[in-house]
Amino acid sequence: MAAEPPPSLSYRTTGSTCLHPLSELLGIPLDQVNFVTCQLFALFAAFWFRSYLSPGKTSPDVRHAFATIFGIYFVIFCFGWYSVHLFVLVLMCYGIMVTASASNVHRYSFFVAMGYLTICHISRIYIFHYGILTTDFSGPLMIVTQKITTLAFQVHDGLGRKAEDLSTEQHRLAVKAKPSFLEYVSYLLNFMSVIAGPCNNFKEYIAFIEGRHIHMKLLEVNWKEKGFHSLPEPSPTRAVIHKLCLTLVSLLLFLTLTKTFPVTCLVDDWFVHKANFLTRLCYLYVVMQASKPKYYFAWTLADAVNNAAGFGFSGVDKNGNFCWDLLSNLNIWKIETATSFKMYLENWNIQTATWLKRVCYERVPWYPTVLTFILSALWHGVYPGYYFTFLTGILVTLAARTVRNNYRHYFLSSKTLKVFYDIVTWAVTQLAVSYTVAPFVMLAVEPTISLYKSMYFYLHIISLLIILFLPIKPQAHNQRRPQTLNSVNKKKID
């Protein structure tokens, strides 16, 4: 694991140093203080943006311009001259967008964006010694990479493929005209998502800027049947307050639980050599639980910022409540109660999972699960721990799928059996996830090997045995590939 920086160097950052006294007072690294400060300013800016630069009061170009200017300022404040990497990548990929043909724009954009991101990852780990003395500018670069590739594939779908070859979702999100420079930089660098995301779709962002975002979702509901004579005007205030409360709780847990159970506990002599296996298993679960609040904090606050600006409305639920979860990056309740590895992954870093599905899983002709995990690891960075996590994840995913397809149906015959099945699979899932993601937060090879040796590589062995010796039964309810419009039309004709 990367060593902790000396106290005298812990404040060093390429971003603004004006908050250094506050950083010292709180005992929190300056780059984290800058991050939280920018996100809080973004929250207030979002409310102002929705109130004073609403689509009814100003033009889309003005909204694009202000969103971009604020975003650029926040990036420079947090990362200083490192923000040049972000701007260089955006300009290079816009050049590709306007010069490449529709049949190749997605390929060129993908390889340039992922290549540049990988070079930056390598420079931080090998040139700057695991990034100890440098601000981690890779976060915004990772978000921009997602957006660049998402837009490039959607332009390819809209201009370079036949409509009947697209899936229903690809057809809905296809972009029929290449964006202007202002639209492009606004989509990539707007203040609402440039620091912490999440990734979103270009058509939905443009609809938000032009004031069509909420209206389009409301038109999907028959309001006359509900007693409305005109379309309602959903307010995000309640959703924002709810998410800010979750953010506050996550921050408190981070400042207490995370500090009490740091990941370094997993390489202590007591854990590795003295604790019994069951104790290690439980302690690993507690430490991994303690590592989650920082993600809950960052992603929930980012979601609240977008909602405060009026972006993220997803429609109306079955009870008639307005939903603001279009851009939500996690579902905490479903994560903590997940009864399968698949359910856990589907509710953790949701927008990244969606991006991986749209640019890789649905498009590659071979080994979609393996290639998607590899792309995910490469996108996250080049720390060895990431690859331990994602390679282990491949084994666990395949094993979990095999067990579920072979045995789940035996427990659906009665409510008692189903409850028993859910309890057991919840415990197994939570322990399996803790085992799998531990290298992700440990980063380096030595502590990862030390941890897995102390756990006897038990999950690797069990997963391999399941994959090798249990019969593989196909999933009756889940197709690997999305249906194209052509296949849907054929079914209608038949």
Side-chain angles (χ1 to χ4, degrees):
M1 187 182 303
E4 292 295 323
S8 60
L9 295 174
S10 61
Y11 71 86
R12 292 183 59 175
T13 177
T14 55
S16 172
T17 58
C18 66
L19 296 176
H20 177 219
L22 179 61
S23 171
E24 284 195 326
L25 178 65
L26 298 175
I28 298 175
L30 181 54
D31 59 336
Q32 294 181 18
V33 173
N34 285 347
F35 167 82
V36 174
T37 301
C38 272
Q39 286 297 82
L40 292 178
F41 269 99
L43 181 66
F44 290 113
F47 281 115
W48 177 84
F49 190 79
R50 182 167 61 91
S51 300
Y52 294 97
L53 289 181
S54 63
K57 296 179 180 179
T58 189
S59 68
D61 285 349
V62 172
R63 283 167 60 83
H64 278 305
F66 272 87
T68 305
I69 291 169
F70 285 169
I72 290 173
Y73 175 77
F74 290 154
V75 169
I76 294 174
F77 182 87
C78 282
F79 306 104
W81 69 267
Y82 275 166
S83 57
V84 170
H85 288 292
L86 203 63
F87 305 144
V88 167
L89 179 59
V90 169
L91 292 176
M92 284 196 305
C93 288
Y94 184 70
I96 293 172
M97 177 62 66
V98 297
T99 57
S101 64
S103 58
N104 290 312
V105 65
H106 60 305
R107 295 190 183 95
Y108 298 155
S109 296
F110 180 86
F111 285 114
V112 168
M114 284 300 301
Y116 195 89
L117 176 64
T118 302
I119 290 171
C120 290
H121 280 317
I122 292 172
S123 71
R124 292 196 70 253
I125 185 173
Y126 293 113
I127 297 176
F128 294 114
H129 188 53
Y130 277 59
I132 286 176
L133 302 182
T134 62
T135 301
D136 187 1
F137 62 93
S138 61
L141 205 59
M142 292 160 70
I143 298 299
V144 164
T145 297
Q146 285 187 346
K147 290 186 177 182
I148 286 171
T149 52
T150 295
L151 176 55
F153 274 96
Q154 290 171 354
V155 168
H156 170 65
D157 290 340
L159 299 176
R161 298 176 67 190
K162 296 178 180 179
E164 58 267 24
D165 293 333
L166 304 177
S167 69
T168 304
E169 185 182 59
Q170 288 170 349
H171 187 269
R172 179 178 66 85
L173 298 174
V175 177
K176 302 294 185 179
K178 291 186 177 182
S180 68
F181 179 72
L182 182 59
E183 290 174 333
Y184 193 80
V185 295
S186 173
Y187 171 61
L188 298 180
L189 301 177
N190 69 82
F191 73 93
M192 298 168 293
S193 60
V194 70
I195 298 295
C199 179
N200 50 70
N201 296 299
F202 180 76
K203 286 180 73 172
E204 290 170 342
Y205 178 74
I206 294 300
F208 155 71
I209 290 292
E210 295 178 354
R212 298 180 286 107
H213 167 59
I214 294 176
H215 186 75
M216 289 166 53
K217 300 291 183 182
L218 290 176
L219 288 177
E220 298 173 2
V221 179
N222 188 337
W223 291 101
K224 289 185 177 180
E225 290 184 356
K226 298 180 180 292
F228 288 82
H229 298 291
S230 61
L231 291 179
E233 296 183 6
S235 170
T237 304
R238 178 178 293 182
V240 172
I241 292 173
H242 172 71
K243 289 171 185 178
L244 290 179
C245 290
L246 288 177
T247 298
L248 181 60
V249 172
S250 299
L251 179 60
L252 293 175
L253 289 174
F254 172 74
L255 295 175
T256 54
L257 189 63
T258 305
K259 302 292 184 181
T260 305
F261 299 99
V263 69
T264 51
C265 294
L266 300 179
V267 292
D268 286 347
D269 182 68
W270 169 82
F271 180 88
V272 175
H273 299 293
K274 298 178 181 178
N276 60 52
F277 178 76
L278 187 60
T279 301
R280 290 173 190 161
L281 201 60
C282 295
Y283 200 72
L284 174 62
Y285 171 73
V286 171
V287 171
M288 289 298 100
Q289 286 294 102
S291 69
K292 292 179 185 178
K294 67 178 181 180
Y295 298 102
Y296 291 171
F297 171 82
W299 290 340
T300 306
L301 180 56
D303 194 11
V305 169
N306 280 275
N307 290 171
F311 190 25
F313 182 69
S314 58
V316 183
D317 66 16
K318 60 183 180 181
N319 298 318
N321 300 316
F322 297 126
C323 298
W324 289 85
D325 58 0
L326 179 69
L327 304 178
S328 294
N329 224 356
L330 75 171
N331 186 316
I332 297 176
W333 174 253
K334 289 185 177 180
I335 287 170
E336 300 300 342
T337 59
T339 57
S340 70
F341 206 74
K342 179 177 181 290
M343 181 180 175
Y344 194 105
L345 294 179
E346 285 177 348
N347 291 284
W348 175 270
N349 207 352
I350 295 170
Q351 303 306 325
T352 294
T354 301
W355 170 71
L356 290 168
K357 183 186 76 170
R358 288 173 178 166
V359 305
C360 183
Y361 189 87
E362 293 180 348
R363 297 179 187 268
V364 295
W366 312 285
Y367 308 112
T369 299
V370 174
L371 291 176
T372 300
F373 271 108
I374 291 173
L375 174 59
S376 182
L378 190 63
W379 175 79
H380 278 90
V382 292
Y383 289 115
Y386 294 166
Y387 294 85
F388 276 101
T389 286
F390 290 110
L391 290 175
T392 303
I394 293 172
L395 289 177
V396 175
T397 299
L398 295 175
R401 185 182 299 167
T402 301
V403 171
R404 183 181 178 85
N405 292 344
N406 276 278
Y407 297 109
R408 183 174 182 270
H409 60 278
Y410 292 120
F411 295 89
L412 302 179
S413 57
S414 73
K415 187 175 181 180
T416 304
L417 284 175
K418 181 64 168 60
V419 170
F420 172 76
Y421 175 85
D422 287 342
I423 293 173
V424 171
T425 53
W426 171 82
V428 170
T429 297
Q430 299 300 321
L431 294 175
V433 169
S434 299
Y435 179 96
T436 302
V437 303
F440 191 93
V441 295
M442 301 178 82
L443 301 181
V445 174
E446 293 82 1
T448 297
I449 296 298
S450 174
L451 171 67
Y452 279 161
K453 283 177 67 177
S454 71
M455 306 295 293
Y456 310 114
F457 293 91
Y458 85 94
L459 193 58
H460 291 90
I461 295 171
I462 293 173
S463 298
L464 281 172
L465 291 174
I466 290 172
I467 294 170
L468 291 174
F469 295 107
L470 275 184
I472 300 176
K473 293 184 179 181
Q475 291 172 285
H477 64 284
N478 186 26
Q479 292 185 342
R480 192 186 69 78
R481 284 287 187 272
Q483 289 183 315
T484 63
L485 293 179
N486 193 36
S487 64
V488 171
N489 290 336
K490 282 182 178 178
K491 285 187 177 182
K492 288 181 179 179
I493 293 173
D494 293 341

